């Protein structure tokens, strides 16, 4: 079994941790913004990716469509690649759940407090419902933990088993 794993590692070209971090960012953007869109659809949240990306800047009927949600998820995934690079540069060496939780909460604060004036379709903090608070904070924490654990794991694995 161990020989099979070694053979598999020899066959696969090594991918840098940075490239994996970018891939992790894209995948996590798709996963968590899709879950955000689903929570918006089922009225757990008043905001979705399309609220930030499209409805804040264009007031047309198509921004409430499924196409707008899908395009917004793709755009968020592209931004998420940049966010994962920030995590990679700052926190990749720290193991555990807490760096991801703190990162997710910090990202939530930046988007919902600092950047809120840019997004006119997103209600102000004091106008959001309790369901939106809980859903959004939980999604951002899960997003941060997903990115944090994945990048830290890849970084630790790469440093324990250097490519030959």
């Amino acid at each position: 079994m161990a020989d099979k794993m070694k053979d598999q590692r020899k066959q696969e070209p090594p991918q840098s941790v940075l490239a994996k971090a970018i891939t992790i960012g894209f995948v996590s953007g798709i996963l968590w913004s899709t879950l955000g869109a689903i929570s918006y659809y089922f009225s757990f949240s008043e905001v979705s990716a399309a609220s930030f990306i499209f409805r804040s800047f264009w007031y047309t009927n198509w921004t409430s469509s499924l196409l707008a949600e899908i395009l917004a998820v793709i755009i968020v995934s592209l931004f998420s690649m940049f966010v994962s690079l920030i995590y990679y540069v700052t926190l990749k060496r720290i193991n555990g759940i807490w760096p991801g939780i703190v990162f997710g909460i910090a990202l939530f604060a930046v988007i919902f407090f600092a950047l809120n004036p840019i997004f006119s379709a997103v209600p102000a903090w004091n106008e959001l419902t309790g369901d939106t608070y809980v859903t959004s904070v939980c999604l951002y924490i899960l997003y941060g933990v997903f990115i944090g654990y994945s990048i830290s794991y890849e970084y630790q694995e790469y440093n324990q088993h250097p490519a030959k």
Side-chain angles (χ1 to χ4, degrees):
M1 181 84 137
D3 292 335
K4 187 177 182 181
M5 295 270 298
K6 288 180 184 176
D7 290 339
Q8 185 178 13
R9 283 188 187 155
K10 288 179 184 176
Q11 292 173 357
E12 295 175 2
Q15 187 180 17
S16 73
V17 179
L18 179 63
K20 288 182 180 181
I22 292 170
T23 304
I24 289 165
F26 185 77
V27 170
S28 61
I30 287 178
L31 175 66
W32 298 109
S33 60
T34 299
L35 287 174
I38 292 169
S39 68
Y40 174 77
Y41 177 77
F42 286 111
S43 300
F44 290 114
S45 177
E46 296 175 277
V47 295
S48 70
S51 299
F52 287 101
I53 305 294
F54 296 122
R55 289 183 213 123
S56 292
F57 305 105
W58 295 288
Y59 302 104
T60 61
N61 290 336
W62 80 272
T63 59
S64 296
S65 68
L66 178 62
L67 175 63
E69 288 294 336
I70 292 170
L71 289 174
V73 165
I74 292 169
I75 291 169
V76 166
S77 298
L78 296 174
F79 284 130
S80 182
M81 291 168 33
F82 175 72
V83 171
S84 70
L85 286 176
I86 293 171
Y87 191 95
Y88 175 81
V89 169
T90 59
L91 300 169
K92 69 182 173 211
R93 290 185 173 100
I94 304 173
N95 290 328
I97 196 169
W98 289 106
I101 291 172
V102 171
F103 186 76
I105 291 171
L107 189 61
F108 172 83
V110 165
I111 291 174
F112 274 85
F113 292 115
L115 297 178
N116 189 276
I118 297 171
F119 305 115
S120 61
V122 178
W125 176 252
N126 56 353
E127 298 171 357
L128 295 172
T129 65
D131 290 343
T132 301
Y133 295 140
V134 171
T135 302
S136 298
V137 169
C138 288
L139 284 173
Y140 277 86
I141 288 173
L142 290 169
Y143 172 81
V145 169
F146 183 88
I147 284 182
Y149 261 133
S150 300
I151 291 175
S152 294
Y153 174 80
E154 290 298 334
Y155 179 76
Q156 296 301 323
E157 281 294 306
Y158 184 78
N159 288 328
Q160 287 178 356
H161 305 291
K164 294 181 179 181

